[in-house]
Amino acid sequence: MAIDCPAYGRFLLVAAVLLVGAPVAFAAPPALAPEVEREIIVPEGVTFKPSPGDEEGAIDRFATYTMALAKRDYEAAYAMLRLSYQASNPRLEWEMNLRKRPGLWADGMIRILRLSWYADPAGQPPGLYAAFDFRGDRKDGTMDCGYVSVHRSAPGSDWAVVRTDTSEVPAAMMEDGVPKADVLRQLPCYLGKGIATDF
């Protein structure tokens, strides 16, 4: 499993070199590849721009959560969920749903395609949100796509995972590394500008 952001050890360093294209220091803060799309969604009349610290913290939470799932450290992954998410997803049920799957989206070579920022969105607890749209490719040819959203209630507080959604495309439904046309049109996830999914 690899993520396109440098992280904190030899394993993730190798992953970062593969996707970002250049070696990074072991203790470097996480950073996205330059080609990753970014967008900021705020209420009309509001001006907001995420700081480098905002981006580092959000990416760190995404990477740490993904690595915990890849290592099947369900306890650590569950602890990163926001309390309201935990309340609607009891630990035992959440973990058993993951354990019954032969593979997880976190097992693949993950590429973040887009980072979307939301500042104090309507109908949600106040704070800063970051949503990571990603594509993952597993060794067996299975493709995953979806998003992970994280939230920070106030500057200096910890980021928490508030929502995840993924779709799995079996290898038999892939063609030359791309979902077949009829499958592609049904995917409820973002795969890039101009790619006709049902998102």
Side-chain angles (χ1 to χ4, degrees):
M1 193 284 304
I3 300 172
D4 65 346
C5 57
Y8 309 112
R10 187 177 305 273
F11 182 67
L12 282 183
L13 174 64
V14 172
V17 170
L18 288 174
L19 287 167
V20 178
V24 294
F26 281 85
L32 293 183
E35 64 272 16
V36 172
E37 297 175 36
R38 288 173 171 81
E39 63 179 6
I40 299 172
I41 300 163
V42 294
E44 189 174 346
V46 174
T47 301
F48 168 76
K49 183 177 180 181
S51 71
D54 293 333
E55 188 161 305
E56 289 167 11
I59 295 167
D60 182 44
R61 176 53 75 214
F62 174 85
T64 306
Y65 178 72
T66 304
M67 286 304 301
L69 289 179
K71 293 187 291 186
R72 303 308 193 261
D73 188 348
Y74 299 113
E75 182 177 355
Y78 190 79
M80 296 179 214
L81 305 181
R82 186 167 65 184
L83 292 179
S84 60
Y85 193 169
Q86 291 181 356
S88 60
N89 293 275
R91 165 72 191 277
L92 183 59
E93 180 181 341
W94 177 86
E95 184 172 330
M96 292 312 296
N97 283 335
L98 293 176
R99 285 185 179 276
K100 69 184 180 185
R101 298 176 184 172
L104 300 177
W105 62 266
D107 299 336
M109 175 75 74
I110 294 173
R111 288 179 286 157
I112 297 171
L113 304 175
R114 181 174 65 180
L115 169 56
S116 302
W117 293 98
Y118 302 84
D120 297 321
Q124 298 296 322
L128 183 59
Y129 293 76
F132 296 90
D133 290 288
F134 68 86
R135 170 181 173 156
D137 294 282
R138 304 186 214 171
K139 290 181 180 179
D140 66 0
T142 299
M143 188 201 86
D144 301 285
C145 63
Y147 66 88
V148 173
S149 294
V150 298
H151 169 239
R152 188 191 66 196
S153 58
S157 63
D158 290 336
W159 290 87
V161 175
V162 295
R163 185 172 174 124
T164 66
D165 189 36
T166 58
S167 296
E168 178 181 304
V169 182
M173 296 183 179
M174 300 286 290
E175 196 169 70
D176 298 325
V178 179
K180 294 180 180 179
D182 57 334
V183 176
L184 187 64
R185 287 191 293 269
Q186 299 175 52
L187 282 175
C189 53
Y190 181 80
L191 289 175
K193 291 179 180 175
I195 300 178
T197 63
D198 187 32
F199 184 75

